[in-house]
């Protein structure tokens, strides 16, 4: 008596699903790159606009943070603001891509 093996999706069906997922990921990537994010840091003394390509579009500094005798603090606030902006874009991209890839999203290099 031959054991019954449950039949899964065919190789062609799996390839179609992979192609669809890849197309969905490309579409989502284009959508994410077109987005713009507004981020503030340092208690609101710096406001940064960044796009989904992680390009800084603008930086606005509150006048009170510009002290010619304390350039180090200004530098630190700008760095913190830019890093916060990049984190926000990355977190949004990760969340949106997981919606497309489902459980495969945790497998680096899969797509």
């Amino acid at each position: 008596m031959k054991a019954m093996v449950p039949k899964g999706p065919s190789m062609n069906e799996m390839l179609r699903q992979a192609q669809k997922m890849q197309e969905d990921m490309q579409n989502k990537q284009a959508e994410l790159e077109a987005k713009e994010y507004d981020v503030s840091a340092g208690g609101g003394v710096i406001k940064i606009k960044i796009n989904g390509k992680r390009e800084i579009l603008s930086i606005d500094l509150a006048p009170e943070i510009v002290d010619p005798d304390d350039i180090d603090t200004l530098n630190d606030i700008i760095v913190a603001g830019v890093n916060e902006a990049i984190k926000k874009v990355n977190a949004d991209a990760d969340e949106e891509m997981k919606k497309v890839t489902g459980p495969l999203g945790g497998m680096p290099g899969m797509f």
Side-chain angles (χ1 to χ4, degrees):
M1 194 165 180
K2 202 173 193 183
M4 303 243 343
V5 177
K7 188 173 180 178
S10 70
M11 185 60 90
N12 285 338
E13 181 60 29
M14 289 172 57
L15 286 173
R16 277 194 294 275
Q17 288 175 351
Q19 286 175 330
K20 168 121 176 51
M21 184 183 294
Q22 188 173 21
E23 288 172 15
D24 290 347
M25 288 173 61
Q26 289 171 341
N27 291 338
K28 181 59 75 177
Q29 185 65 39
E31 178 185 318
L32 288 167
E33 288 178 357
K35 284 178 88 169
E36 292 184 359
Y37 303 82
D38 293 307
V39 180
S40 65
V45 296
I46 183 170
K47 294 179 182 164
I48 296 174
K49 184 179 286 275
I50 186 171
N51 66 21
K53 294 179 186 177
R54 293 153 186 85
E55 299 168 334
I56 302 298
L57 303 175
S58 67
I59 296 178
D60 292 317
L61 301 171
E64 64 269 15
I65 196 61
V66 181
D67 179 355
D69 295 326
D70 190 8
I71 297 298
D72 289 338
T73 297
L74 180 60
N75 289 337
D76 290 346
I77 288 174
I78 292 171
V79 168
V82 170
N83 287 335
E84 185 62 31
I86 292 169
K87 284 180 192 175
K88 184 172 184 172
V89 173
N90 287 341
D92 188 46
D94 289 347
E95 184 179 318
E96 290 298 316
M97 288 307 246
K98 283 179 186 173
K99 291 178 184 176
V100 174
T101 62
L104 297 177
M107 301 173 72
M110 184 68 179
F111 289 97

